[in-house]
Amino acid sequence: MSGDDDGLHDFVASRLPHLRRSAFLMCGDWELATELTRACLARVVADTRRGAVADPDVYAYAELMEACRRRNRRREHVFVAAAGAEGVAAESILLLDALHKLTPRCRAVLVLRHWDGFDTDAVGAMLDLDDERVAAYERAGLSALQKLLIESEAALTG
Amino acid sequence: MNEPLTRLLERVLEGEPDLGDEVDAIFRDADRIRRRRTRGLLGAGAAAVAVIAIAGYLLTTTLMPDTQAQPPAPAPARATASAVPVPSSVADPVLAVLAPVVDGKKLHIVPRPPERGNGWRQYSITDPDGKPRGTVEIAIYHVAEDLCFPVLAAPGKCARTEWAPAGVEYVRYDADQDRDWQVHQTIARRITDGRTLAVMATGERGTDNASKGKPGLTGAQIEKITTGQKLFDAFGPDEQCSGPSSAACPAFRVPVPIS
């Protein structure tokens, strides 16, 4: 393995868990999240080796969010647990369900901003949005999520 | 949502499966991608030859068409009925949003036949003397991706959107130069769920009179109605003006560019 490949190996090893969690929040399925993350990071490695990647983080998250958006069209389940996993709290299902009701782009903004902690500029670069639109998606997404969660909690208790 | 979203999301991730040897698998996949790209490059020459051969074959078959009788083409599928049957006893929530605005102008609004279908409604407006003051047509769509709001003067370009509260982006279109067809229209999209409304008020057409052809509602009123949350929620959650029944949808001055 060359020095460049060592750097790439470290990059992949450090980003893989984060990317897979983000993918899970986008698609609600650990198996699919693993598959999408693996495919996305393989492309990052292949394209970095031929010098086609300027910023691997932006590239990786942009690819992953686009892959999740494409797969979302065929999505049938709100949540698919990992094989052998124990039960999941109802609140978690409600949150995933509420996230699922948002448009993929809106969901991606919330995940990238509130889970991955990227700033507005970085999210804009990943999703090809200007800052104003990122802010609008975030504001509207948080407000819609809050409304959806209140409605589902009321339905659950009532 | 009393807790920060980050903490809520953390809880959702409980039960995360092990990563196993994913890192090695990623590098194996990357090598596979590289090999595939190399093969693709080498195959380009062969593909060029194949394209030439196919083009030759197609040209030959086009110039010498098959004279055998073809079986009759299947009959076209019957158009799907567009109207969604709704019991007449059910109040019209869309009308309930429009009526206060129209009543405020001392006008009347009533459903205009064919008054409704899946994702669309249309209404007539009359003045207190019963004289027609045009129509209001409304349709709702689902646009999951970003919408390119049209620019009338520049086809293919996207208009800069305005923002209303609660994440509604919109563009207002007022066309009153043609006195035979004066239009106030607004297109609005709620970015959280992609629901997109088009609302158009038109005056009476063909009056050849700027005053008589004026729409019953102003551009500002149409904008306010379209960008409020109530109208989005007045349609059924699964209603949308697309699919087999979309031929019955209103013809807007500025159509919503849905694919």
Side-chain angles (χ1 to χ4, degrees):
Chain A
M1 196 179 277
S2 70
D4 282 353
D5 256 15
D6 283 344
L8 263 178
H9 195 277
D10 291 346
F11 173 81
V12 169
S14 65
R15 299 303 194 279
L16 175 59
H18 298 284
L19 282 161
R20 190 174 67 153
R21 286 174 202 141
S22 304
F24 174 75
L25 293 173
M26 288 296 292
C27 70
D29 179 343
W30 279 115
E31 199 179 326
L32 179 60
T34 306
E35 180 196 318
L36 294 177
T37 309
R38 182 172 154 172
C40 153
L41 279 171
R43 276 195 301 278
V44 172
V45 170
D47 290 346
T48 304
R49 279 171 171 168
R50 62 186 184 99
V53 177
D55 183 334
D57 268 325
V58 170
Y59 187 93
Y61 277 95
E63 282 272 314
L64 184 66
M65 292 297 142
E66 177 59 18
C68 291
R69 188 185 65 79
R70 283 198 304 267
R71 294 298 282 258
N72 188 70
R73 290 179 187 150
R74 297 196 292 272
R75 186 174 169 187
E76 290 170 2
H77 306 287
V78 169
F79 171 69
V80 181
E86 290 177 7
V88 172
E91 290 81 6
S92 297
I93 305 276
L94 292 183
L95 180 57
L96 281 171
D97 183 43
L99 274 173
H100 171 58
K101 284 178 177 151
L102 303 177
T103 53
R105 185 147 284 186
C106 191
R107 195 179 332 139
V109 167
L110 291 187
V111 169
L112 292 171
R113 291 277 294 126
H114 292 267
W115 173 250
D116 295 297
F118 288 111
D119 61 22
T120 307
D121 277 354
V123 173
M126 288 163 187
L127 301 178
D128 197 20
L129 295 171
D130 61 36
D131 289 359
E132 191 192 357
R133 283 189 78 79
V134 173
Y137 270 117
E138 186 182 356
R139 266 195 314 273
L142 284 174
S143 152
L145 200 61
Q146 184 164 26
K147 191 172 160 229
L148 288 165
L149 287 175
I150 289 168
E151 282 170 6
S152 356
E153 276 166 19
L156 205 65
T157 53
Chain B
M1 204 163 65
N2 298 322
E3 288 179 80
L5 180 57
T6 313
R7 204 165 308 150
L8 290 172
L9 293 176
E10 258 171 37
R11 225 172 294 150
V12 171
L13 294 163
E14 283 168 11
E16 177 182 3
D18 286 340
L19 280 167
D21 64 345
E22 282 299 316
V23 175
D24 291 336
I26 286 165
F27 278 84
R28 282 197 299 275
D29 286 354
D31 289 338
R32 214 168 290 143
I33 291 172
R34 186 174 51 83
R35 281 198 298 275
R36 205 168 51 224
R37 281 176 180 159
T38 311
R39 274 202 304 272
L41 214 60
L42 292 172
V49 172
V51 166
I52 291 166
I54 290 167
Y57 172 76
L58 289 175
L59 275 173
T60 311
T61 50
T62 310
L63 292 173
M64 293 186 291
D66 186 5
T67 52
Q68 277 185 333
Q70 297 292 321
R78 250 183 81 208
T80 313
S82 65
V84 175
V86 175
S88 56
S89 59
V90 176
D92 182 348
V94 176
L95 185 58
V97 176
L98 296 174
V101 182
V102 178
D103 294 347
K105 294 189 77 180
K106 306 275 188 285
L107 300 170
H108 302 295
I109 183 165
V110 289
R112 174 193 178 102
E115 54 202 62
R116 63 189 292 159
N118 182 13
W120 63 269
R121 310 281 188 273
Q122 63 178 25
Y123 304 93
S124 291
I125 296 183
T126 54
D127 68 13
D129 302 328
K131 284 184 191 157
R133 288 291 308 277
T135 60
V136 176
E137 289 161 285
I138 306 172
I140 195 158
Y141 309 86
H142 184 261
V143 185
E145 308 299 328
D146 279 354
L147 179 67
C148 174
F149 288 78
V151 179
L152 272 183
K157 290 258 170 73
C158 302
R160 186 171 173 78
T161 54
E162 304 285 329
W163 288 95
V168 173
E169 56 175 347
Y170 69 97
V171 173
R172 180 173 149 181
Y173 304 90
D174 292 311
D176 45 16
Q177 297 83 357
D178 180 356
R179 59 185 182 182
D180 280 338
W181 191 24
Q182 298 178 53
V183 171
H184 297 308
Q185 183 183 337
T186 295
I187 298 175
R189 176 173 175 268
R190 190 160 65 181
I191 60 172
T192 52
D193 59 7
R195 296 204 99 188
T196 302
L197 276 170
V199 180
M200 178 174 79
T202 59
E204 283 301 296
R205 294 185 66 173
T207 58
D208 197 28
N209 180 312
S211 170
K212 282 182 185 168
K214 212 169 161 184
L217 295 175
T218 64
Q221 286 168 325
I222 290 298
E223 176 189 320
K224 196 174 169 197
I225 289 167
T226 316
T227 55
Q229 294 290 321
K230 285 182 186 167
L231 193 58
F232 285 97
D233 298 329
F235 282 88
D238 297 324
E239 277 195 83
Q240 58 173 321
C241 222
S242 60
S245 63
S246 58
C249 295
F252 289 99
R253 178 79 173 81
V254 184
V256 178
I258 51 166
S259 49

